Amino acid sequence: KAKYMKYLIPVRHGANNSDGDLSKEGVTQIECLLDHLRTYTNGKSVRILSSRIPRAKQSAGIIASGLNAVSRPTTILSETLHSYDPNLQTKLEELRIFAEEEGKNCDVLILVTHQPQTKFFPRYYMRVALGVGITQSTDADYGCAPVIDVEGRTIEMIPKK
């Protein structure tokens, strides 16, 4: 029987310097998040994908190293999403299809990306893929993530503030 992801975790990259690379503060944020991610990944197969933007790739590298996994950059996580974009729903649907395809044969799918994806995508995924409307904000700070429990059809933010 094929496995299907138990957790879908869109991570917002850590804080960055003016040159776009991860700052020291950003490294600390991702290392802190890593401790929380281990709760969901311990003993599970993990797939990590990231935006091609340096700060996201660097954040994914820290997570991958800490979880003894590999990360792979992908274009779809680099796309800019805006609430005023007339194609927002189409882009969110493309991201949902991408996540579901990548979520096959792994227990945990971690997507290291940017603020708009962590704001819009989890709510969209919960509503469209899982049939659950949520009212809570999924707007993640640097180095934070909404964790979607696909089986349990719940969502929570990590680290808890």
Side-chain angles (χ1 to χ4, degrees), residues 8-10 81 83 88-89 92-93 95-96 115-140 145-149 153-157:
L8 171 59
I9 308 175
L81 299 178
S83 59
L88 178 61
Q89 293 301 310
L92 289 170
E93 180 61 10
L95 188 53
R96 180 194 66 78
Q115 185 267 343
Q117 282 86 341
T118 62
K119 179 178 181 179
F120 298 122
F121 180 63
R123 295 170 64 99
Y124 180 84
Y125 189 86
M126 291 291 292
R127 181 173 48 83
V128 173
L130 303 180
V132 178
I134 61 169
T135 55
Q136 75 193 74
S137 172
T138 59
D139 199 358
V147 176
I148 299 169
D149 180 335
R153 297 170 42 168
T154 59
I155 189 168
E156 68 176 319
M157 296 296 288

XYZ file of all heavy atoms in Angstrom, residues 8-10 81 83 88-89 92-93 95-96 115-140 145-149 153-157:
377
model
N 1.710 18.027 6.368
C 2.137 18.978 5.348
C 2.530 20.245 6.100
O 1.718 20.819 6.830
C 0.997 19.261 4.369
C 1.195 20.381 3.358
C 2.414 20.120 2.469
C -0.051 20.568 2.509
N 3.797 20.643 5.941
C 4.317 21.746 6.763
C 4.957 22.815 5.879
O 6.102 22.671 5.452
C 5.344 21.227 7.797
C 4.760 20.060 8.604
C 5.798 22.370 8.708
C 5.733 19.409 9.573
N 4.214 23.895 5.566
C 4.820 25.015 4.844
C 5.572 25.911 5.828
O 4.985 26.472 6.746
C 3.634 25.759 4.221
C 2.398 25.114 4.746
C 2.781 24.055 5.728
N 2.923 35.272 -4.458
C 1.471 35.247 -4.315
C 1.032 36.554 -3.665
O 1.646 37.003 -2.707
C 1.032 34.082 -3.428
C 1.373 32.670 -3.885
C 0.890 31.655 -2.849
C 0.758 32.367 -5.230
N -2.702 38.764 -2.517
C -4.154 38.665 -2.359
C -4.893 39.338 -3.508
O -6.001 38.952 -3.850
C -4.588 39.267 -1.023
O -4.198 40.617 -0.955
N -4.667 34.186 -8.176
C -4.294 33.602 -6.889
C -4.896 32.209 -6.710
O -4.193 31.276 -6.338
C -4.705 34.509 -5.729
C -4.391 33.969 -4.324
C -2.891 33.770 -4.136
C -4.949 34.897 -3.260
N -6.185 32.042 -6.981
C -6.833 30.736 -6.796
C -6.194 29.675 -7.689
O -5.976 28.535 -7.269
C -8.337 30.830 -7.060
C -9.078 31.677 -6.046
C -8.923 31.174 -4.625
O -9.116 29.998 -4.327
N -8.550 32.061 -3.712
N -2.832 28.773 -6.170
C -3.018 27.960 -4.976
C -3.412 26.528 -5.346
O -2.938 25.570 -4.741
C -4.063 28.578 -4.052
C -3.626 29.860 -3.333
C -4.813 30.504 -2.635
C -2.496 29.596 -2.358
N -4.246 26.390 -6.376
C -4.643 25.052 -6.823
C -3.446 24.304 -7.413
O -3.264 23.109 -7.160
C -5.789 25.138 -7.836
C -6.264 23.802 -8.355
C -6.810 22.843 -7.300
O -7.025 23.228 -6.130
O -7.016 21.663 -7.653
N -0.385 24.734 -6.535
C 0.445 24.379 -5.383
C -0.157 23.186 -4.631
O 0.560 22.296 -4.180
C 0.613 25.591 -4.464
C 1.590 25.477 -3.314
C 2.975 25.022 -3.770
C 1.700 26.814 -2.581
N -1.486 23.130 -4.536
C -2.148 21.992 -3.880
C -1.851 20.701 -4.643
O -1.468 19.683 -4.040
C -3.663 22.196 -3.791
C -4.375 21.022 -3.097
C -5.881 21.050 -3.297
N -6.271 20.843 -4.672
C -6.299 19.645 -5.298
N -5.946 18.548 -4.652
N -6.695 19.559 -6.548
N 6.424 34.164 3.022
C 5.263 34.584 3.810
C 3.929 34.408 3.085
O 2.998 33.865 3.676
C 5.456 36.032 4.281
C 4.366 36.528 5.210
C 3.237 37.231 4.487
O 3.373 37.646 3.337
N 2.116 37.358 5.146
N 3.773 34.809 1.821
C 2.450 34.643 1.210
C 1.995 33.179 1.137
O 0.819 32.883 1.336
C 2.624 35.233 -0.191
C 3.764 36.192 -0.060
C 4.683 35.551 0.944
N 2.928 32.268 0.875
C 2.553 30.856 0.815
C 2.125 30.335 2.181
O 1.206 29.529 2.267
C 3.701 30.001 0.260
C 3.846 30.081 -1.238
C 4.690 31.249 -1.717
O 4.924 32.220 -1.007
N 5.145 31.179 -2.946
N 2.792 30.792 3.242
C 2.394 30.323 4.574
C 1.103 31.010 5.028
O 0.416 30.499 5.902
C 3.497 30.543 5.625
O 3.777 31.920 5.757
C 4.749 29.768 5.273
N 0.765 32.130 4.427
C -0.471 32.832 4.785
C -1.675 32.255 4.036
O -2.696 31.949 4.634
C -0.328 34.323 4.459
C -1.574 35.123 4.777
C -1.366 36.593 4.496
C -2.602 37.389 4.849
N -2.410 38.826 4.599
N -1.556 32.104 2.722
C -2.701 31.717 1.899
C -2.867 30.207 1.722
O -3.977 29.689 1.737
C -2.606 32.352 0.508
C -2.617 33.847 0.509
C -1.574 34.557 -0.048
C -3.666 34.555 1.071
C -1.577 35.938 -0.057
C -3.686 35.938 1.068
C -2.630 36.636 0.508
N -1.759 29.495 1.510
C -1.864 28.093 1.120
C -2.467 27.175 2.188
O -3.321 26.336 1.863
C -0.510 27.550 0.641
C -0.563 26.115 0.219
C -1.350 25.729 -0.865
C 0.137 25.144 0.912
C -1.430 24.406 -1.250
C 0.072 23.818 0.532
C -0.718 23.445 -0.553
N -2.064 27.271 3.463
C -2.645 26.345 4.446
C -4.169 26.445 4.544
O -4.853 25.426 4.611
C -1.981 26.754 5.765
C -0.700 27.381 5.333
C -1.017 28.092 4.052
N -4.687 27.643 4.513
C -6.142 27.834 4.591
C -6.817 27.237 3.355
O -7.857 26.585 3.444
C -6.481 29.310 4.738
C -5.980 29.908 6.045
C -6.108 31.413 6.050
N -7.492 31.811 5.986
C -8.213 32.178 7.038
N -7.653 32.201 8.230
N -9.469 32.511 6.898
N -6.212 27.475 2.187
C -6.741 26.936 0.935
C -6.719 25.408 0.977
O -7.707 24.746 0.650
C -5.920 27.452 -0.248
C -6.403 26.944 -1.586
C -7.438 27.577 -2.264
C -5.836 25.811 -2.157
C -7.901 27.103 -3.479
C -6.290 25.318 -3.380
C -7.315 25.974 -4.033
O -7.770 25.484 -5.241
N -5.590 24.842 1.391
C -5.445 23.387 1.432
C -6.466 22.768 2.386
O -7.098 21.759 2.065
C -4.017 22.995 1.836
C -3.784 21.517 1.682
C -3.376 20.990 0.458
C -4.003 20.634 2.728
C -3.192 19.634 0.282
C -3.818 19.276 2.568
C -3.415 18.778 1.351
O -3.244 17.429 1.176
N -6.610 23.337 3.561
C -7.565 22.820 4.540
C -8.980 22.817 3.954
O -9.707 21.839 4.086
C -7.536 23.652 5.829
C -6.274 23.518 6.652
S -6.070 21.904 7.439
C -7.392 21.917 8.637
N -9.344 23.913 3.278
C -10.705 24.042 2.738
C -10.924 23.111 1.548
O -11.887 22.355 1.505
C -10.966 25.499 2.336
C -12.368 25.749 1.789
C -12.635 27.230 1.563
N -11.592 27.936 0.853
C -11.467 27.953 -0.485
N -12.306 27.287 -1.239
N -10.500 28.645 -1.053
N -10.010 23.141 0.583
C -10.221 22.421 -0.672
C -9.875 20.935 -0.567
O -10.645 20.082 -0.997
C -9.421 23.095 -1.817
C -9.473 22.284 -3.090
C -9.947 24.504 -2.056
N -8.729 20.624 0.002
C -8.289 19.227 0.048
C -8.912 18.452 1.204
O -9.176 17.261 1.073
C -6.765 19.160 0.137
N -9.134 19.114 2.334
C -9.604 18.414 3.528
C -11.041 18.743 3.907
O -11.591 18.150 4.822
C -8.669 18.696 4.711
C -7.199 18.331 4.495
C -6.388 18.651 5.737
C -7.034 16.881 4.079
N -11.651 19.728 3.237
C -13.041 20.074 3.506
C -13.268 20.718 4.857
O -14.352 20.634 5.422
N -12.235 21.393 5.373
C -12.319 22.020 6.695
C -12.045 23.515 6.565
O -10.973 23.908 6.123
C -11.287 21.398 7.669
C -11.334 22.093 9.025
C -11.502 19.910 7.817
N -13.026 24.324 6.946
C -12.802 25.765 6.963
C -12.140 26.156 8.270
O -12.487 25.632 9.325
N -11.153 27.038 8.201
C -10.505 27.494 9.430
C -10.579 29.013 9.496
O -10.602 29.692 8.468
C -9.036 27.031 9.543
C -8.179 27.571 8.385
C -8.957 25.519 9.610
C -6.696 27.381 8.583
N -10.614 29.520 10.701
C -10.660 30.964 10.888
C -9.352 31.513 11.423
O -9.086 32.699 11.316
C -11.803 31.355 11.849
O -11.638 30.641 13.069
C -13.160 31.025 11.239
N -8.510 30.633 12.013
C -7.258 31.108 12.593
C -6.298 31.583 11.519
O -6.314 31.113 10.384
C -6.610 30.021 13.446
C -5.952 28.920 12.629
C -5.600 27.707 13.456
O -6.495 26.963 13.827
N -4.336 27.515 13.732
N -5.458 32.521 11.880
C -4.442 33.034 10.968
C -3.341 31.998 10.793
O -2.954 31.319 11.737
C -3.842 34.327 11.523
O -2.737 34.719 10.737
N -2.843 31.897 9.564
C -1.680 31.043 9.299
C -0.528 31.910 8.802
O 0.396 31.427 8.170
C -2.005 29.946 8.264
O -2.436 30.574 7.048
C -3.072 29.004 8.783
N -0.600 33.199 9.089
C 0.427 34.147 8.669
C 1.651 33.951 9.569
O 1.668 34.376 10.711
C -0.110 35.567 8.785
C 0.681 36.564 7.974
O 1.679 36.160 7.341
O 0.310 37.745 7.965
N 2.662 33.261 9.043
C 3.803 32.844 9.850
C 4.896 33.900 9.901
O 5.228 34.510 8.897
C 4.377 31.538 9.294
N 5.915 27.967 11.212
C 5.212 27.139 10.246
C 3.849 26.708 10.746
O 3.714 26.342 11.904
C 6.038 25.892 9.929
N 2.862 26.702 9.857
C 1.617 26.014 10.163
C 1.817 24.529 9.853
O 2.345 24.179 8.809
C 0.603 26.648 9.202
C 1.409 27.218 8.092
C 2.799 27.452 8.617
N 1.445 23.667 10.781
C 1.535 22.222 10.579
C 0.131 21.712 10.284
O -0.761 21.825 11.126
C 2.100 21.515 11.824
C 2.102 19.999 11.626
C 3.497 22.021 12.139
N -0.045 21.168 9.093
C -1.334 20.596 8.711
C -1.267 19.092 8.971
O -0.445 18.391 8.378
C -1.652 20.864 7.225
C -1.714 22.375 6.963
C -2.956 20.175 6.827
C -1.764 22.749 5.496
N -2.104 18.631 9.882
C -2.245 17.201 10.143
C -3.281 16.704 9.133
O -4.485 16.924 9.296
C -2.699 16.967 11.584
C -2.865 15.494 11.928
O -3.096 14.676 11.010
O -2.798 15.168 13.127
N -6.971 16.272 10.069
C -7.658 17.446 9.500
C -7.661 18.626 10.471
O -8.667 19.283 10.680
C -9.062 17.061 9.064
C -9.021 16.022 7.961
C -10.343 15.415 7.632
N -11.408 16.403 7.598
C -12.603 16.180 7.125
N -12.896 15.012 6.646
N -13.527 17.117 7.149
N -6.464 18.855 11.075
C -6.297 19.982 11.980
C -5.057 20.760 11.562
O -4.251 20.295 10.755
C -6.116 19.511 13.439
O -4.970 18.666 13.526
C -7.355 18.768 13.934
N -4.904 21.928 12.147
C -3.754 22.770 11.851
C -3.317 23.462 13.136
O -4.152 23.814 13.971
C -4.086 23.796 10.737
C -2.847 24.538 10.252
C -5.163 24.756 11.185
C -3.068 25.336 8.973
N -1.995 23.601 13.299
C -1.465 24.349 14.437
C -0.190 25.051 13.998
O 0.481 24.610 13.062
C -1.213 23.451 15.648
C -0.082 22.470 15.453
C 0.206 21.673 16.714
O 0.187 22.257 17.814
O 0.481 20.480 16.596
N 0.132 26.140 14.670
C 1.338 26.900 14.351
C 2.481 26.463 15.260
O 2.268 26.220 16.443
C 1.096 28.400 14.535
C 0.055 29.004 13.605
S 0.493 28.943 11.862
C 1.787 30.171 11.794
